[in-house]
């Protein structure tokens, strides 16, 4: 029977296996946070945007450009529809679902229209000219990278599903190649060639507003992982002028216990590094903690533009600012309550000060260097490993200004020490040892066998088999480190620019096609390799929430290299096509903002990890006041516990975990003056 199966049937069987197959690791997890109505509304918006794009170019008498542009948006949306958004994204089609067949039909229409345009203009020199210029080997290697990073290998290796992994790569590579072909076709038809320059201030304001809108809607202005609960706890404690608060009564401690919140003697505190919570305190004091990161995101766009314009060119700076302002990775991180936007802002602020300083030691140069040191030191206070690496590399670069710039070197070092000493002083206050952080002390007691160790070994990482595919093998090894790095790149390939066919494509083009990197490009590649290399020895990459967030300090580095890669792609094109290049990039950024970012918000970030605003809204609607609210939920209780004031004051509700009737009695007895309300979080 096997011998009777034709090649066409083998292809269909393979397609069914990769798209319809349900490996065991996928069956036990929800594929999306979205409801059918929300997803349908998202796709209706994509159709409306595609129609508006088509109408716009209809009136400009550039109909075919409008058709191809709309297909870029809609085919990208179709690919997102059949992509599972959680944990490790992959292609997945529901058998028999009408919507799935509509999405495949849309991709088929894109293929037909694109082929017709390319065949009609086959003598244009595009793409044949690029192939002739670069050679077959480099072009093939380019497409191998495009296909290879279209899906993460981690879950397939973890659960032994190698054939579906290979098939996912094949189908992902075909879909990405089709989208690239459509983009090439956009250059062959009548369309806009006038360059469009966007003001950098406008891009910064847009980034702030877009990130704030995402924080308000998809993130619902609340934490979504345990770390964010701890940051808010710390910020609220600091807002009262304290490093810790009095622990809850003994009988209630189990109901109020939460990861990264520690009780030592008569002290109750969050254990994470203090740099971000100190900044977050300002947002807490004005009642808008969720707005701090979006503001930093907008300012980061300005800093990135300033650095690139002074070190490379205004055109490169404009491109970097555009990519950053439209990057789903930047905007989603800015919408969260995580530390990473702060670290990136501080690093770029330090670099911005140094590139503005001259090579000498005038008063202005020294002041700028001092400010740079303070900023880089605060990056260390926020995320110590990131701060150490970046400050060390920056110091090596700054030494090139000797001997004339000795004042700058001393001032920058002094600023770093002054800011960094804040961390050491807080460590001394919390643990009695300036070199022992509260988090390291806490994890040493929580994970006594591993203590969240750094490096390789059988006893590195979390307790055995407690993190699933996020930590495949017991301990940490070079093989797992390579797998983590590949997983981070696969996640970044989707998240960095939101280009479904591959956000890393410009970087592959740069590394494969350009013979020599410029000065800033080389520096950013060193920073990137240093951060990724350092994390090679850490057991975790954290791609499941807002992309490879442990790498977020390298965002500027990736975008500088991406902008250089886009310039290289334009350079490889025949000269008559280069005038349209900026408009095609603008189209891709628009499709990311219209399609990818809302898709992420609808299918992933909203209600992520069962954190919702239901409890907050219920408490406000019913005025629970002085009540003790016993909360039960099938998901994480952080969405309730984050609402607690660390000082548990009178007149405000206390939210506690439902531990069952017997243990709840102890919680209730600990707060005898409070009315008891039982609340179950809706599924």
């Amino acid at each position: 029977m096997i011998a009777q199966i034709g090649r066409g049937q083998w292809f269909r069987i393979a397609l069914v296996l990769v798209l319809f197959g349900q490996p065991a690791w996928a069956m036990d997890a929800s594929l999306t946070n979205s409801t059918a109505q929300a997803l349908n509304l998202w796709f209706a918006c994509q159709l409306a945007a595609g129609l508006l794009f088509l109408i716009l170019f209809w009136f400009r008498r550039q109909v075919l450009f409008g058709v191809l542009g709309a297909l870029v948006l809609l085919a990208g949306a179709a690919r997102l529809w059949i992509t599972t958004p959680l944990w490790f994204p992959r292609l997945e089609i529901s058998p028999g679902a009408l919507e799935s067949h509509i999405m495949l039909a849309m991709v088929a229409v894109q293929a037909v229209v694109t082929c017709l345009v390319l065949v009609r203009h086959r003598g244009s020199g595009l793409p044949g000219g690029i192939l002739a210029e670069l050679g077959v080997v480099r072009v093939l290697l380019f497409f191998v990278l495009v296909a290879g990073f279209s899906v993460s290998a981690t879950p397939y290796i973890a659960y032994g599903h190698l054939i579906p992994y290979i098939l996912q790569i094949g189908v992902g590579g075909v879909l990405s190649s089709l989208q690239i072909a459509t983009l090439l076709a956009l250059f062959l038809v009548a369309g806009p060639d006038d360059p469009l320059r966007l003001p950098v201030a406008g891009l910064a304001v847009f980034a702030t507003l877009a990130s704030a809108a995402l924080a308000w809607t998809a993130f619902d202005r609340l934490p979504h992982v345990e770390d964010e609960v701890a940051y808010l706890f710390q910020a609220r404690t600091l807002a009262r002028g304290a490093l810790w608060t009095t622990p809850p009564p003994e009988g209630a401690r189990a109901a109020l216990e939460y990861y990264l919140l520690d009780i030592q003697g008569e002290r109750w505190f969050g254990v994470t590094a203090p740099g971000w919570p100190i900044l977050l305190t300002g947002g807490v004091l004005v009642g808008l903690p969720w707005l701090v990161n979006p503001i930093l995101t907008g300012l980061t766009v300005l800093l990135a533009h300033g650095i690139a314009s002074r070190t490379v060119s205004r055109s490169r700076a404009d491109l970097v600012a555009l990519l950053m302002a439209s990057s789903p990775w930047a905007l989603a991180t800015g919408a969260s309550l995580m530390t990473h936007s702060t670290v990136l802002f501080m690093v770029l602020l330090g670099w911005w000060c140094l590139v503005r300083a001259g090579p000498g030691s005038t008063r202005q140069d020294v002041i700028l260097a001092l400010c740079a040191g303070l900023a880089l030191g605060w990056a260390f206070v926020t995320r110590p490993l990131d701060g150490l690496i970046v400050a060390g590399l920056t110091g090596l670069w700054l030494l090139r200004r000797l001997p004339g710039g000795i004042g700058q070197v001393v001032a920058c070092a002094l600023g770093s020490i002054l800011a960094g000493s804040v961390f050491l002083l807080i460590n001394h206050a919390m643990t009695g040892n300036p070199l022992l952080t509260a988090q390291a002390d806490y994890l040493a007691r929580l994970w006594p066998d591993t203590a969240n160790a750094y490096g390789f070994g059988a006893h590195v990482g979390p307790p055995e088999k407690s993190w699933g595919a996020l930590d495949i093998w017991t301990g940490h090894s070079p093989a797992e480190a390579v797998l983590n790095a590949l997983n981070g790149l696969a996640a970044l390939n989707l998240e960095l620019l939101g280009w479904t066919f591959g956000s890393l494509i410009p970087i592959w083009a740069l590394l494969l096609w350009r013979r020599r990197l410029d000065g800033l490009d080389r520096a950013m590649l060193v920073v990137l390799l240093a951060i990724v290399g350092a994390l090679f020895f850490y057991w975790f990459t954290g791609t499941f929430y807002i992309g490879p967030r442990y790498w977020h300090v390298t965002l500027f580095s990736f975008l500088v290299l991406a902008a250089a890669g886009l310039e290289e792609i334009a350079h490889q094109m025949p000269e008559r096509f280069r005038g349209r290049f900026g408009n095609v990039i603008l189209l891709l950024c628009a499709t990311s903002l219209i399609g990818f970012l809302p898709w992420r918000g609808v299918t992933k970030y909203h209600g992520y990890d069962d954190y919702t605003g239901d409890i907050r809204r219920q408490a406000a609607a019913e005025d629970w006041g002085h009540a003790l609210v016993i909360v039960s939920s099938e998901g994480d209780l952080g969405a309730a516990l984050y609402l607690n004031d660390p000082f548990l004051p009178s007149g405000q509700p206390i939210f506690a975990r439902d531990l069952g009737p017997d243990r709840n009695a102890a919680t209730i007895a600990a707060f005898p003056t409070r009315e008891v309300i039982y609340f179950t979080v809706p599924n």
Side-chain angles (χ1 to χ4, degrees), residues 235-375:
R236 288 166 175 160
T237 305
L238 291 166
R240 297 278 291 272
L243 289 176
W244 55 76
T245 183
T246 303
E250 186 71 34
R253 291 186 182 182
L256 295 174
E257 181 184 12
Y258 199 70
Y259 181 62
L260 297 178
L261 300 185
D262 196 12
I263 294 177
Q264 290 289 300
E266 294 302 311
R267 302 181 302 166
W268 188 25
F269 52 91
V271 302
T272 46
W276 165 232
I278 290 173
L279 289 186
L280 188 59
T281 299
V284 168
L285 290 172
V286 299
L288 298 169
W290 59 273
L291 194 55
V292 178
N293 264 341
I295 291 173
L296 293 178
T297 300
L299 294 175
T300 300
V301 172
L302 293 176
L303 293 173
H305 185 274
I307 295 168
S309 63
R310 283 181 171 266
T311 54
V312 186
S313 66
R314 175 62 186 269
S315 60
R316 174 82 72 86
D318 291 345
L319 189 51
V320 168
L322 173 63
L323 296 178
M324 183 174 286
S326 61
S327 166
W329 195 29
L331 297 177
T333 304
S336 75
L337 289 166
M338 295 298 280
T339 63
H340 308 283
S341 295
T342 297
V343 177
L344 180 63
F345 170 78
M346 290 298 171
V347 167
L348 294 194
L349 177 59
W351 289 350
W352 181 84
C353 289
L354 291 176
V355 298
R356 287 184 63 86
S361 292
T362 66
R363 181 179 180 182
Q364 179 179 337
D365 297 337
V366 171
I367 291 175
L368 285 170
L370 177 65
C371 292
L374 291 170

Side-chain angles (χ1 to χ4, degrees), residues 183-200:
L183 293 174
L184 290 175
L186 282 168
F187 290 90
L188 302 176
V189 299
D193 291 317
D194 49 310
L196 180 63
R197 169 166 287 181
L198 300 175
V200 63

Side-chain angles (χ1 to χ4, degrees), residues 633-647:
S633 172
E634 295 182 2
D636 196 292
L637 256 293
L641 298 181
Y642 96 94
L643 293 167
N644 287 328
D645 186 304
F647 294 85

